[in-house]
Amino acid sequence: MTAAPLLQVRDLSVLFPARRGAPPVRAVERLSFEIAPGQTLGLVGQSGSGKTTAGRAILQLQKASGGSVRLLGQELTTMPAGALRRMRRHMQFVLQNPYSSLHPRMTIGQILSEPLQVHRSVPANRVRERVEELLELVNLDPTMMRRYPHEFSGGQRQRVVIARALAVNPDFVVCDEPVSALDVRTQAQIVALLQSLQEKLGLSYLFIAHDLAIVREMAHRVAVMFRGRIVEMGSADQVYDSPAHPYTRLLLDAVPVPDPRLQRERLRQAPPDLRFLEGDGGACVHGVDHEGAGTPEWHEVAEGHGVSCRYWPAGSSPAG
């Protein structure tokens, strides 16, 4: 029997209102996906595609304009403030820049104690013991709890951020570009740590990144975002080995390859025709007539592998 999804997102939209004469911006539009217990969905796309806004809206850190977000069967978008605060122990956030997300005047012990005290997840006499457990969980020496963030390397600070996210035993963690600020060797270590923690604790991740190689390493399923919408979604193997949307192929072709000959061949190829991304109507790549349709149609190209049309309806292309 298939386990019920831990997270269900349906038609999630985020609209930023008009400001100073600028038109409103549809940062996220009608996102729908599910994440099973113990699984990772990789959310990829270029900067400005709406990935971070989507993650914040799922965690209710950014107000959604429409749609539904259900975590553990509970609807988050209409949940009262008190109940949402209690629900936050089940969902946590790992940010891109570990230094900016750690208070510079608090010791690591104080930083890790804070969520324990806010959520009262352990008795007061066990807080120090729990902090030591968290540091060991992310492969840091418990004696480091007396140090301040500036005394750590970038990789160590990110381990502290991960430990803080795990302090209240969450079920779901949004990882927003968690390794992009780190060097390649440290990136591999943090990815291995996240995978180990997922296996050990049964965590579910939404892993947001623009580095496609890391996403393939981390994710069971991958969703590709362009201008606020998901244009392709499937298993990691389906999306990487058989990309069905031209935008996905563009992202994959932009990844450097270690073979100089193959890289030169790529550079000699004509750039892809992306005029469909700004289209104002007409036939889609699948031969379906969508004249007057409100949104791009979704096609299953294989079991569990879906792709949108090349078509954006007239006048409705989401803002970049």
Side-chain angles (χ1 to χ4, degrees):
M1 181 181 295
T2 304
L6 180 86
L7 177 76
Q8 295 173 294
V9 177
R10 291 286 179 270
D11 293 327
L12 180 67
S13 299
V14 177
L15 176 70
F16 292 117
R19 294 182 61 184
R20 298 180 182 177
V25 175
R26 281 179 283 182
V28 176
E29 188 160 6
R30 299 188 67 180
L31 255 62
S32 295
F33 57 80
E34 297 178 347
I35 301 179
Q39 298 287 298
T40 299
L41 176 71
L43 194 59
V44 303
Q46 65 191 121
S47 297
S49 60
K51 307 184 300 296
T52 294
T53 301
R56 291 178 60 84
I58 288 167
L59 295 178
Q60 305 305 295
L61 300 175
Q62 167 67 51
K63 184 173 176 58
S65 307
S68 167
V69 179
R70 298 182 69 85
L71 180 67
L72 295 169
Q74 302 290 313
E75 177 60 52
L76 302 184
T77 59
T78 57
M79 188 173 283
L84 183 59
R85 177 171 177 156
R86 292 189 293 273
M87 193 68 180
R88 291 204 180 280
R89 67 169 297 273
H90 297 285
M91 52 183 183
Q92 290 293 310
F93 208 2
V94 174
L95 297 171
Q96 175 178 359
N97 188 334
Y99 191 72
S100 66
S101 60
L102 298 173
H103 197 300
R105 296 187 179 181
M106 293 175 67
T107 67
I108 298 307
Q110 292 170 330
I111 289 170
L112 296 182
S113 298
E114 191 172 37
L116 301 175
Q117 295 163 350
V118 168
H119 291 278
R120 300 177 182 177
S121 55
V122 297
N125 62 356
R126 277 210 65 232
V127 169
R128 181 184 176 87
E129 179 185 348
R130 178 58 176 158
V131 169
E132 292 177 349
E133 291 174 354
L134 290 168
L135 288 170
E136 290 176 343
L137 190 62
V138 296
N139 302 323
L140 291 176
D141 189 331
T143 61
M144 291 180 170
M145 71 170 66
R146 302 183 186 89
R147 299 184 188 178
Y148 290 86
H150 73 270
E151 299 180 79
F152 289 81
S153 68
Q156 288 174 326
R157 284 195 287 264
Q158 194 63 295
R159 289 174 187 271
V160 173
V161 172
I162 294 169
R164 183 178 58 184
L166 300 180
V168 290
N169 297 314
D171 300 282
F172 171 62
V173 180
V174 174
C175 302
D176 186 10
E177 300 275 10
V179 298
S180 63
L182 307 175
D183 62 78
V184 174
R185 180 172 177 271
T186 307
Q187 284 181 355
Q189 293 172 349
I190 296 299
V191 166
L193 174 64
L194 289 170
Q195 291 173 321
S196 173
L197 291 170
Q198 182 173 54
E199 184 176 347
K200 185 181 302 182
L201 304 176
L203 298 168
S204 295
Y205 295 135
L206 177 64
F207 193 88
I208 299 170
H210 66 273
D211 189 319
L212 298 180
I214 289 176
V215 171
R216 182 163 196 175
E217 181 74 16
M218 277 292 303
H220 300 90
R221 291 181 59 76
V222 175
V224 181
M225 279 191 74
F226 176 78
R227 294 190 175 183
R229 287 177 173 165
I230 292 176
V231 296
E232 184 164 358
M233 184 161 53
S235 71
D237 288 343
Q238 287 172 327
V239 172
Y240 281 79
D241 296 339
S242 304
H245 196 280
Y247 178 67
T248 306
R249 293 197 290 271
L250 176 67
L251 290 179
L252 292 173
D253 285 346
V255 177
V257 294
D259 185 340
R261 182 184 56 80
L262 181 57
Q263 185 68 20
R264 285 194 297 270
E265 288 179 3
R266 279 187 177 185
L267 293 174
R268 284 196 295 266
Q269 293 174 359
D273 183 359
L274 298 183
R275 287 176 297 176
F276 68 88
L277 296 175
E278 300 292 348
D280 59 358
C284 82
V285 68
H286 304 282
V288 179
D289 182 10
H290 297 302
E291 190 66 36
T295 59
E297 291 293 322
W298 189 259
H299 296 267
E300 290 288 326
V301 295
E303 185 177 356
H305 185 191
V307 61
S308 76
C309 294
R310 298 187 181 194
Y311 166 83
W312 295 115
S316 70
S317 182

PDB file of all heavy atoms in Angstrom, residues 219-238:
ATOM      1  N   ALA A 219      17.621  14.343  -4.911  1.00  0.00           N
ATOM      2  CA  ALA A 219      16.172  14.249  -5.071  1.00  0.00           C
ATOM      3  C   ALA A 219      15.703  12.910  -5.619  1.00  0.00           C
ATOM      4  O   ALA A 219      16.346  12.313  -6.482  1.00  0.00           O
ATOM      5  CB  ALA A 219      15.685  15.377  -5.974  1.00  0.00           C
ATOM      6  N   HIS A 220      14.554  12.456  -5.120  1.00  0.00           N
ATOM      7  CA  HIS A 220      13.863  11.307  -5.693  1.00  0.00           C
ATOM      8  C   HIS A 220      13.033  11.755  -6.903  1.00  0.00           C
ATOM      9  O   HIS A 220      12.961  11.054  -7.905  1.00  0.00           O
ATOM     10  CB  HIS A 220      12.950  10.656  -4.654  1.00  0.00           C
ATOM     11  CG  HIS A 220      13.689  10.156  -3.440  1.00  0.00           C
ATOM     12  ND1 HIS A 220      13.908  10.939  -2.333  1.00  0.00           N
ATOM     13  CD2 HIS A 220      14.261   8.962  -3.189  1.00  0.00           C
ATOM     14  CE1 HIS A 220      14.582  10.240  -1.430  1.00  0.00           C
ATOM     15  NE2 HIS A 220      14.802   9.044  -1.922  1.00  0.00           N
ATOM     16  N   ARG A 221      12.386  12.917  -6.761  1.00  0.00           N
ATOM     17  CA  ARG A 221      11.618  13.502  -7.854  1.00  0.00           C
ATOM     18  C   ARG A 221      12.084  14.939  -8.058  1.00  0.00           C
ATOM     19  O   ARG A 221      12.587  15.579  -7.127  1.00  0.00           O
ATOM     20  CB  ARG A 221      10.106  13.472  -7.567  1.00  0.00           C
ATOM     21  CG  ARG A 221       9.534  12.063  -7.580  1.00  0.00           C
ATOM     22  CD  ARG A 221       8.028  12.051  -7.328  1.00  0.00           C
ATOM     23  NE  ARG A 221       7.264  12.826  -8.301  1.00  0.00           N
ATOM     24  CZ  ARG A 221       6.996  12.418  -9.538  1.00  0.00           C
ATOM     25  NH1 ARG A 221       7.436  11.241  -9.957  1.00  0.00           N
ATOM     26  NH2 ARG A 221       6.295  13.186 -10.349  1.00  0.00           N
ATOM     27  N   VAL A 222      11.897  15.447  -9.284  1.00  0.00           N
ATOM     28  CA  VAL A 222      12.368  16.781  -9.638  1.00  0.00           C
ATOM     29  C   VAL A 222      11.236  17.547 -10.312  1.00  0.00           C
ATOM     30  O   VAL A 222      10.535  17.011 -11.178  1.00  0.00           O
ATOM     31  CB  VAL A 222      13.588  16.712 -10.578  1.00  0.00           C
ATOM     32  CG1 VAL A 222      13.996  18.111 -11.041  1.00  0.00           C
ATOM     33  CG2 VAL A 222      14.759  16.018  -9.892  1.00  0.00           C
ATOM     34  N   ALA A 223      11.058  18.805  -9.895  1.00  0.00           N
ATOM     35  CA  ALA A 223      10.120  19.713 -10.544  1.00  0.00           C
ATOM     36  C   ALA A 223      10.904  20.902 -11.081  1.00  0.00           C
ATOM     37  O   ALA A 223      11.717  21.482 -10.363  1.00  0.00           O
ATOM     38  CB  ALA A 223       9.052  20.192  -9.553  1.00  0.00           C
ATOM     39  N   VAL A 224      10.672  21.240 -12.346  1.00  0.00           N
ATOM     40  CA  VAL A 224      11.374  22.342 -13.003  1.00  0.00           C
ATOM     41  C   VAL A 224      10.443  23.546 -13.059  1.00  0.00           C
ATOM     42  O   VAL A 224       9.330  23.453 -13.581  1.00  0.00           O
ATOM     43  CB  VAL A 224      11.814  21.955 -14.425  1.00  0.00           C
ATOM     44  CG1 VAL A 224      12.562  23.101 -15.091  1.00  0.00           C
ATOM     45  CG2 VAL A 224      12.679  20.695 -14.388  1.00  0.00           C
ATOM     46  N   MET A 225      10.906  24.692 -12.517  1.00  0.00           N
ATOM     47  CA  MET A 225      10.084  25.906 -12.492  1.00  0.00           C
ATOM     48  C   MET A 225      10.577  26.916 -13.509  1.00  0.00           C
ATOM     49  O   MET A 225      11.775  27.105 -13.680  1.00  0.00           O
ATOM     50  CB  MET A 225      10.111  26.554 -11.104  1.00  0.00           C
ATOM     51  CG  MET A 225       9.179  25.926 -10.104  1.00  0.00           C
ATOM     52  SD  MET A 225       9.019  26.938  -8.594  1.00  0.00           S
ATOM     53  CE  MET A 225       7.994  28.285  -9.203  1.00  0.00           C
ATOM     54  N   PHE A 226       9.627  27.562 -14.162  1.00  0.00           N
ATOM     55  CA  PHE A 226       9.929  28.696 -15.036  1.00  0.00           C
ATOM     56  C   PHE A 226       8.870  29.751 -14.801  1.00  0.00           C
ATOM     57  O   PHE A 226       7.668  29.489 -14.939  1.00  0.00           O
ATOM     58  CB  PHE A 226       9.952  28.281 -16.509  1.00  0.00           C
ATOM     59  CG  PHE A 226      10.153  29.442 -17.440  1.00  0.00           C
ATOM     60  CD1 PHE A 226      11.420  29.984 -17.613  1.00  0.00           C
ATOM     61  CD2 PHE A 226       9.081  30.002 -18.118  1.00  0.00           C
ATOM     62  CE1 PHE A 226      11.609  31.071 -18.461  1.00  0.00           C
ATOM     63  CE2 PHE A 226       9.261  31.081 -18.967  1.00  0.00           C
ATOM     64  CZ  PHE A 226      10.530  31.625 -19.140  1.00  0.00           C
ATOM     65  N   ARG A 227       9.315  30.945 -14.401  1.00  0.00           N
ATOM     66  CA  ARG A 227       8.418  32.072 -14.196  1.00  0.00           C
ATOM     67  C   ARG A 227       7.195  31.724 -13.362  1.00  0.00           C
ATOM     68  O   ARG A 227       6.054  31.997 -13.736  1.00  0.00           O
ATOM     69  CB  ARG A 227       8.005  32.676 -15.534  1.00  0.00           C
ATOM     70  CG  ARG A 227       9.185  33.315 -16.253  1.00  0.00           C
ATOM     71  CD  ARG A 227       8.744  34.123 -17.438  1.00  0.00           C
ATOM     72  NE  ARG A 227       9.880  34.827 -18.030  1.00  0.00           N
ATOM     73  CZ  ARG A 227       9.770  35.662 -19.051  1.00  0.00           C
ATOM     74  NH1 ARG A 227       8.597  35.878 -19.604  1.00  0.00           N
ATOM     75  NH2 ARG A 227      10.840  36.257 -19.533  1.00  0.00           N
ATOM     76  N   GLY A 228       7.435  31.082 -12.242  1.00  0.00           N
ATOM     77  CA  GLY A 228       6.371  30.837 -11.291  1.00  0.00           C
ATOM     78  C   GLY A 228       5.579  29.571 -11.495  1.00  0.00           C
ATOM     79  O   GLY A 228       4.735  29.240 -10.669  1.00  0.00           O
ATOM     80  N   ARG A 229       5.837  28.848 -12.585  1.00  0.00           N
ATOM     81  CA  ARG A 229       5.075  27.639 -12.866  1.00  0.00           C
ATOM     82  C   ARG A 229       5.990  26.437 -13.001  1.00  0.00           C
ATOM     83  O   ARG A 229       7.145  26.546 -13.403  1.00  0.00           O
ATOM     84  CB  ARG A 229       4.263  27.786 -14.155  1.00  0.00           C
ATOM     85  CG  ARG A 229       3.056  28.694 -14.027  1.00  0.00           C
ATOM     86  CD  ARG A 229       2.370  28.843 -15.364  1.00  0.00           C
ATOM     87  NE  ARG A 229       1.116  29.565 -15.234  1.00  0.00           N
ATOM     88  CZ  ARG A 229       0.450  30.078 -16.256  1.00  0.00           C
ATOM     89  NH1 ARG A 229       0.932  29.927 -17.485  1.00  0.00           N
ATOM     90  NH2 ARG A 229      -0.684  30.715 -16.081  1.00  0.00           N
ATOM     91  N   ILE A 230       5.452  25.270 -12.685  1.00  0.00           N
ATOM     92  CA  ILE A 230       6.174  24.026 -12.937  1.00  0.00           C
ATOM     93  C   ILE A 230       5.917  23.623 -14.385  1.00  0.00           C
ATOM     94  O   ILE A 230       4.771  23.462 -14.799  1.00  0.00           O
ATOM     95  CB  ILE A 230       5.716  22.915 -11.973  1.00  0.00           C
ATOM     96  CG1 ILE A 230       6.161  23.248 -10.543  1.00  0.00           C
ATOM     97  CG2 ILE A 230       6.285  21.570 -12.400  1.00  0.00           C
ATOM     98  CD1 ILE A 230       5.681  22.254  -9.497  1.00  0.00           C
ATOM     99  N   VAL A 231       7.010  23.471 -15.150  1.00  0.00           N
ATOM    100  CA  VAL A 231       6.860  23.117 -16.560  1.00  0.00           C
ATOM    101  C   VAL A 231       7.187  21.651 -16.823  1.00  0.00           C
ATOM    102  O   VAL A 231       6.870  21.132 -17.899  1.00  0.00           O
ATOM    103  CB  VAL A 231       7.719  24.019 -17.469  1.00  0.00           C
ATOM    104  CG1 VAL A 231       7.253  25.462 -17.380  1.00  0.00           C
ATOM    105  CG2 VAL A 231       9.197  23.902 -17.123  1.00  0.00           C
ATOM    106  N   GLU A 232       7.835  20.987 -15.863  1.00  0.00           N
ATOM    107  CA  GLU A 232       8.109  19.555 -16.013  1.00  0.00           C
ATOM    108  C   GLU A 232       8.322  18.952 -14.633  1.00  0.00           C
ATOM    109  O   GLU A 232       8.892  19.586 -13.745  1.00  0.00           O
ATOM    110  CB  GLU A 232       9.337  19.305 -16.883  1.00  0.00           C
ATOM    111  CG  GLU A 232       9.607  17.826 -17.138  1.00  0.00           C
ATOM    112  CD  GLU A 232      10.576  17.578 -18.289  1.00  0.00           C
ATOM    113  OE1 GLU A 232      11.016  18.562 -18.929  1.00  0.00           O
ATOM    114  OE2 GLU A 232      10.895  16.407 -18.555  1.00  0.00           O
ATOM    115  N   MET A 233       7.851  17.724 -14.458  1.00  0.00           N
ATOM    116  CA  MET A 233       8.034  17.039 -13.177  1.00  0.00           C
ATOM    117  C   MET A 233       8.043  15.540 -13.402  1.00  0.00           C
ATOM    118  O   MET A 233       7.262  15.005 -14.192  1.00  0.00           O
ATOM    119  CB  MET A 233       6.923  17.421 -12.187  1.00  0.00           C
ATOM    120  CG  MET A 233       7.096  16.819 -10.801  1.00  0.00           C
ATOM    121  SD  MET A 233       6.120  17.693  -9.533  1.00  0.00           S
ATOM    122  CE  MET A 233       4.477  17.650 -10.277  1.00  0.00           C
ATOM    123  N   GLY A 234       8.957  14.867 -12.720  1.00  0.00           N
ATOM    124  CA  GLY A 234       9.055  13.420 -12.818  1.00  0.00           C
ATOM    125  C   GLY A 234      10.136  12.920 -11.892  1.00  0.00           C
ATOM    126  O   GLY A 234      10.694  13.678 -11.081  1.00  0.00           O
ATOM    127  N   SER A 235      10.444  11.637 -11.987  1.00  0.00           N
ATOM    128  CA  SER A 235      11.544  11.112 -11.201  1.00  0.00           C
ATOM    129  C   SER A 235      12.843  11.761 -11.673  1.00  0.00           C
ATOM    130  O   SER A 235      12.919  12.300 -12.784  1.00  0.00           O
ATOM    131  CB  SER A 235      11.631   9.593 -11.349  1.00  0.00           C
ATOM    132  OG  SER A 235      12.093   9.255 -12.654  1.00  0.00           O
ATOM    133  N   ALA A 236      13.869  11.716 -10.829  1.00  0.00           N
ATOM    134  CA  ALA A 236      15.153  12.320 -11.207  1.00  0.00           C
ATOM    135  C   ALA A 236      15.674  11.712 -12.506  1.00  0.00           C
ATOM    136  O   ALA A 236      16.156  12.427 -13.390  1.00  0.00           O
ATOM    137  CB  ALA A 236      16.160  12.151 -10.075  1.00  0.00           C
ATOM    138  N   ASP A 237      15.569  10.400 -12.650  1.00  0.00           N
ATOM    139  CA  ASP A 237      16.053   9.749 -13.869  1.00  0.00           C
ATOM    140  C   ASP A 237      15.258  10.192 -15.089  1.00  0.00           C
ATOM    141  O   ASP A 237      15.827  10.415 -16.172  1.00  0.00           O
ATOM    142  CB  ASP A 237      15.988   8.228 -13.723  1.00  0.00           C
ATOM    143  CG  ASP A 237      17.045   7.690 -12.771  1.00  0.00           C
ATOM    144  OD1 ASP A 237      18.016   8.421 -12.487  1.00  0.00           O
ATOM    145  OD2 ASP A 237      16.888   6.545 -12.305  1.00  0.00           O
ATOM    146  N   GLN A 238      13.935  10.322 -14.944  1.00  0.00           N
ATOM    147  CA  GLN A 238      13.109  10.727 -16.077  1.00  0.00           C
ATOM    148  C   GLN A 238      13.470  12.137 -16.544  1.00  0.00           C
ATOM    149  O   GLN A 238      13.661  12.390 -17.737  1.00  0.00           O
ATOM    150  CB  GLN A 238      11.625  10.681 -15.688  1.00  0.00           C
ATOM    151  CG  GLN A 238      11.058   9.287 -15.561  1.00  0.00           C
ATOM    152  CD  GLN A 238       9.655   9.284 -14.994  1.00  0.00           C
ATOM    153  OE1 GLN A 238       9.297  10.129 -14.174  1.00  0.00           O
ATOM    154  NE2 GLN A 238       8.843   8.333 -15.423  1.00  0.00           N
TER     155      GLN A 238
END
